[in-house]
Amino acid sequence: IAARPTEERLRLLGEANRAPAAEIAMLDRAHALIISLLLEQQRRDIMSGLKPSNMADPSWLDAQGKTRLKKALSSLDNIAELARAAMF
């Protein structure tokens, strides 16, 4: 899959029937959540006069946010297997 944006790659992977639709949807949601949290962290950094980076401190998340992040990260456990399956 030659697409560059992650959302597009996931969409094409699903269209090619190389992964179950439910798994693609779960990865898409996880990606969206992680990116939104990273952007919020960068906004917080900028507002605090810090240089934004790709590092995130989850301590500012409430309990629900931490639970959502843990769930999103755990959904990535089989990403290597999915990538191998998509290659063949």
Side-chain angles (χ1 to χ4, degrees):
I1 294 178
R4 297 298 299 164
T6 300
E7 297 88 351
E8 183 72 6
R9 289 185 210 173
L10 290 172
R11 184 184 65 74
L12 292 172
L13 190 62
E15 287 178 2
N17 292 321
R18 294 223 171 133
E23 193 166 350
I24 296 293
M26 179 178 59
L27 290 172
D28 189 46
R29 286 189 304 271
H31 177 260
L33 175 67
I34 291 166
I35 293 299
S36 69
L37 293 175
L38 180 59
L39 290 172
E40 174 60 20
Q41 178 68 54
Q42 290 176 343
R43 185 193 71 78
R44 288 171 175 264
D45 289 345
I46 291 167
M47 296 302 289
S48 298
L50 300 172
K51 180 179 176 183
S53 72
N54 288 330
M55 301 295 289
D57 177 7
S59 66
W60 57 269
L61 293 172
D62 62 13
Q64 182 182 6
K66 287 178 183 174
T67 298
R68 291 176 58 216
L69 177 58
K70 286 178 186 178
K71 184 177 178 182
L73 292 173
S74 70
S75 73
L76 303 178
D77 286 346
N78 63 347
I79 196 95
E81 181 180 317
L82 180 63
R84 278 191 297 279
M87 293 171 65
F88 303 104

